[in-house]
Amino acid sequence: QVQLVESGGGSVQAGGSLRLSCAVSGYTYRPYSMAWFRQAPGKEREGVAAQAGGSAFYPDSVKGRFTISQDSAQNTLYLQMNSLKPEDTAMYYCAATYSRGSSGYLLAPRPYGYWGQGTQVTVSS
């Protein structure tokens, strides 16, 4: 059973940076694809970064500002967020799946069977 635990959220002013971490444990075979999602109150959960094999995928809303990376030795997934905007305010979730697919597939919630509990990011103007 894959377990995911996020950390690193907090409050920051617009233009600032945060790095989220997701500790991955409990697996026999490492998930092939991992991603970060966010959900603001009253809105649907949206993918902000996905990584599968050697490829990374981002929606246009965060491209050039967010970077997903992994430290396999420490079993940790990261999301570096720069140039943060108030509209980036949301609960951020780490997710994992054994599925593979295109950017559109992996930036949608459906393929992911494993989720963390979330970490709050608040960006003030």
Side-chain angles (χ1 to χ4, degrees), residues 67-107:
T67 303
I68 188 171
S69 62
Q70 294 191 44
D71 183 334
S72 298
Q74 295 189 5
N75 292 323
T76 305
L77 180 74
Y78 298 102
L79 182 68
Q80 178 67 43
M81 303 186 294
N82 298 328
S83 302
L84 283 162
K85 305 175 181 180
E87 51 263 43
D88 295 318
T89 295
M91 186 72 78
Y92 283 71
Y93 299 91
C94 173
T97 178
Y98 290 96
S99 298
R100 307 181 183 199
S102 65
S103 60
Y105 180 74
L106 294 175
L107 286 173

Side-chain angles (χ1 to χ4, degrees), residues 14-123:
S17 299
L18 282 174
R19 187 176 79 158
L20 306 183
S21 300
C22 173
V24 187
S25 64
Y27 59 87
T28 300
Y29 300 98
R30 187 175 182 84
Y32 185 79
S33 304
M34 297 197 67
W36 287 95
F37 288 79
R38 68 186 180 189
Q39 189 166 22
K43 295 188 176 181
E44 293 187 353
R45 190 168 295 192
E46 63 169 338
V48 296
Q51 189 170 55
S55 299
F57 309 106
Y58 306 92
D60 289 343
S61 58
V62 307
K63 197 172 292 183
R65 301 189 297 122
F66 289 12
T67 303
I68 188 171
S69 62
Q70 294 191 44
D71 183 334
S72 298
Q74 295 189 5
N75 292 323
T76 305
L77 180 74
Y78 298 102
L79 182 68
Q80 178 67 43
M81 303 186 294
N82 298 328
S83 302
L84 283 162
K85 305 175 181 180
E87 51 263 43
D88 295 318
T89 295
M91 186 72 78
Y92 283 71
Y93 299 91
C94 173
T97 178
Y98 290 96
S99 298
R100 307 181 183 199
S102 65
S103 60
Y105 180 74
L106 294 175
L107 286 173
R110 186 171 181 176
Y112 296 89
Y114 304 98
W115 294 85
Q117 83 288 351
T119 186
Q120 178 68 36
V121 171
T122 302
V123 184

Side-chain angles (χ1 to χ4, degrees), residues 1-23:
Q1 180 79 359
V2 178
Q3 296 179 333
L4 307 171
V5 180
E6 302 97 334
S7 61
S11 297
V12 64
Q13 289 191 328
S17 299
L18 282 174
R19 187 176 79 158
L20 306 183
S21 300
C22 173

